[in-house]
Amino acid sequence: MGTINVQISTYEGNTSLIFPMEDSVLADKLQAIGCGSEVPISSVIWPSGLNMLNGLIVSADELNFLAKSIERFDDSEYDQFMASASLEKSPDLERLINLSFNINHYTVIRDVSDLAGIGEYHLMNIRGSLSKIELETINFAQVGRELLSSGKGIPTEYGLLFENEEVPFQQVYDGTTFPPYLYRGNEVAVVNMHYQGKTEYLYLPEEDISIEKALKRLGAPCLSDCTMEIEMFNCPDKCWRDRLETNFEIAGLREANFLAEVLARPDIDLYKLQCVTDYAEVVAGDEIQKLADHLDDFIVIKGAETYVDVGEYITQHELEYAVGENMPDFVDYSKLGEFIMQERNGEFMGGCFVCMEAGCDYTQIMCENPHDMEMEGI
């Protein structure tokens, strides 16, 4: 529910843009309509509660970040944000972004008939949680009655708005660097990037343009001028956490980002990838990415320890070497396994056997260079 749809007016005409979007997509759309980093909003199509932005020229990146922040809200949180935003006399995106991170500073009541429900919701909103004992002993109806009778409720189209003065309003956005916020859900790691007392956050895997924008917000000339540390989030297991951290510490952000892209793939077979990278003796993020792109070009036989194991697997999985029902006793599986090892550069890796699929070329895979044009100038 949390997208923002705005009408942009330029010399090229009127264009509707729906936020949020990836930074690369945003850059392409802005270039297509002849806009730079700022966009002139002729009208907010949706949500109507943000029509205070009509007629303003705003930062496209700030608008994109606000849309990401709003998108996480449930219905109650959305009402809290929109009700508080509707009372802003001269709102700008900096203020709206800060509001989106301070929704528990406000309580919005739609139905005034359920006093107990109002009281429980209000306390949950202020405290964040309630213990079992509190849920059993607090007179929520009394809390609800006191809130409604306080005279501090402000009518809005989203409900009766109360400002919770006991919850401090925190300015998380200073108009320069964005606050930390995990948006996509597939972040493998977060890199905290510091420059001259300011901090930006990169969510690996990250687009190159997003890294460039983070540097620009920091005012840093290049990555080497920043200090950085990495925090693991959804990195699947210790082996890959260690490899990601090693890439980051030794080779830097570029290689770590390549590896994070692989680890974020929803269908990646990490066991097979680990066996293949060990077989290829590859540690760099970009080379691991190449292997991941061609993982189907490799055979990994888990548990194989002998030529016989290899030969039996090949006869069961490759039509060329398929054996009829009455033929197994006449097949020299050991000889076949040894042949496969020599023919396809196979190797026993301690608990598995790794080789190339028929017709696949390891050298050709590793000579590919898809990143020639990436991260230039970073």
Side-chain angles (χ1 to χ4, degrees):
M1 80 181 293
T3 55
I4 298 175
N5 189 347
V6 296
Q7 185 87 3
I8 306 296
S9 295
T10 68
Y11 293 112
E12 303 290 334
N14 295 326
T15 303
S16 173
L17 294 181
I18 298 177
F19 294 82
M21 64 187 85
E22 295 291 335
D23 283 335
S24 58
V25 176
L26 176 59
D28 290 342
K29 289 184 178 294
L30 293 180
Q31 183 178 18
I33 61 176
C35 283
S37 60
E38 296 184 327
V39 291
I41 299 178
S42 59
S43 64
V44 176
I45 301 172
W46 192 92
S48 60
L50 293 181
N51 58 16
M52 75 283 288
L53 299 176
N54 291 349
L56 299 182
I57 298 175
V58 302
S59 162
D61 288 338
E62 286 186 336
L63 187 60
N64 206 28
F65 188 86
L66 176 63
K68 292 176 181 179
S69 185
I70 294 175
E71 200 167 55
R72 75 183 190 275
F73 293 156
D74 60 25
D75 290 346
S76 295
E77 292 169 332
Y78 180 80
D79 287 344
Q80 288 171 267
F81 170 77
M82 297 306 299
S84 58
S86 69
L87 298 182
E88 293 294 317
K89 296 180 180 179
S90 56
D92 55 22
L93 287 179
E94 178 182 340
R95 176 65 179 177
L96 290 175
I97 290 172
N98 278 302
L99 277 177
S100 72
F101 281 84
N102 285 273
I103 55 173
N104 61 337
H105 185 70
Y106 303 92
T107 293
V108 174
I109 305 300
R110 278 192 174 274
D111 180 7
V112 298
S113 64
D114 181 6
L115 292 178
I118 291 172
E120 181 176 352
Y121 166 68
H122 180 56
L123 289 183
M124 286 286 289
N125 192 41
I126 292 175
R127 302 181 185 180
S129 63
L130 294 172
S131 68
K132 182 179 180 180
I133 294 177
E134 287 175 321
L135 288 171
E136 294 173 348
T137 58
I138 293 177
N139 186 340
F140 291 114
Q142 180 63 28
V143 174
R145 187 177 297 106
E146 291 176 356
L147 178 67
L148 294 179
S149 62
S150 67
K152 296 181 178 180
I154 303 173
T156 74
E157 64 176 289
Y158 303 94
L160 203 57
L161 176 69
F162 295 86
E163 183 175 4
N164 302 323
E165 298 176 353
E166 60 269 57
V167 180
F169 190 98
Q170 299 179 341
Q171 182 167 338
V172 297
Y173 178 51
D174 60 2
T176 305
T177 56
F178 288 135
Y181 174 47
L182 296 173
Y183 165 69
R184 299 191 311 266
N186 70 333
E187 297 87 354
V188 173
V190 176
V191 172
N192 304 324
M193 187 163 59
H194 312 286
Y195 181 74
Q196 294 186 349
K198 294 184 290 186
T199 301
E200 267 286 338
Y201 303 90
L202 302 175
Y203 309 97
L204 306 189
E206 190 71 275
E207 291 188 306
D208 296 340
I209 189 173
S210 300
I211 298 174
E212 293 171 359
K213 287 185 175 187
L215 283 173
K216 186 175 181 180
R217 288 192 292 269
L218 286 173
C222 59
L223 286 174
S224 60
D225 294 303
C226 302
T227 58
M228 291 180 280
E229 64 265 357
I230 191 168
E231 300 177 29
M232 301 298 171
F233 277 83
N234 296 324
C235 201
D237 57 43
K238 186 178 186 304
C239 167
W240 288 107
R241 286 197 300 271
D242 291 345
R243 293 187 184 203
L244 181 59
E245 193 166 10
T246 298
N247 268 271
F248 178 77
E249 292 179 351
I250 296 178
L253 177 63
R254 175 188 172 94
E255 295 296 334
N257 202 35
F258 290 150
L259 179 52
E261 186 279 324
V262 172
L263 298 179
R265 298 180 188 182
D267 57 350
I268 190 71
D269 185 339
L270 290 176
Y271 170 77
K272 183 176 182 179
L273 182 63
Q274 181 178 341
C275 294
V276 170
T277 54
D278 289 345
Y279 161 81
E281 297 182 345
V282 160
V283 295
D286 63 334
E287 293 184 334
I288 293 176
Q289 193 178 59
K290 292 177 185 178
L291 294 178
D293 291 341
H294 293 273
L295 204 54
D296 289 340
D297 293 348
F298 294 86
I299 294 174
V300 173
I301 308 175
K302 188 175 183 179
E305 297 180 349
T306 67
Y307 290 141
V308 172
D309 295 332
V310 176
E312 290 179 344
Y313 178 92
I314 292 298
T315 60
Q316 295 167 8
H317 292 82
E318 294 192 10
L319 289 177
E320 181 181 354
Y321 296 100
V323 176
E325 292 182 3
N326 300 321
M327 298 296 293
D329 293 340
F330 300 97
V331 176
D332 190 335
Y333 290 105
S334 180
K335 284 290 185 182
L336 176 58
E338 185 177 4
F339 170 76
I340 292 295
M341 182 172 188
Q342 295 173 352
E343 184 73 10
R344 302 188 189 177
N345 299 315
E347 187 173 346
F348 289 100
M349 301 299 300
C352 71
F353 174 83
V354 182
C355 69
M356 304 298 300
E357 287 277 6
C360 295
D361 188 342
Y362 172 79
T363 302
Q364 183 177 350
I365 292 172
M366 300 311 291
C367 285
E368 292 182 358
N369 195 357
H371 305 297
D372 282 340
M373 301 303 292
E374 294 184 4
M375 299 188 74
E376 292 184 359
I378 296 181

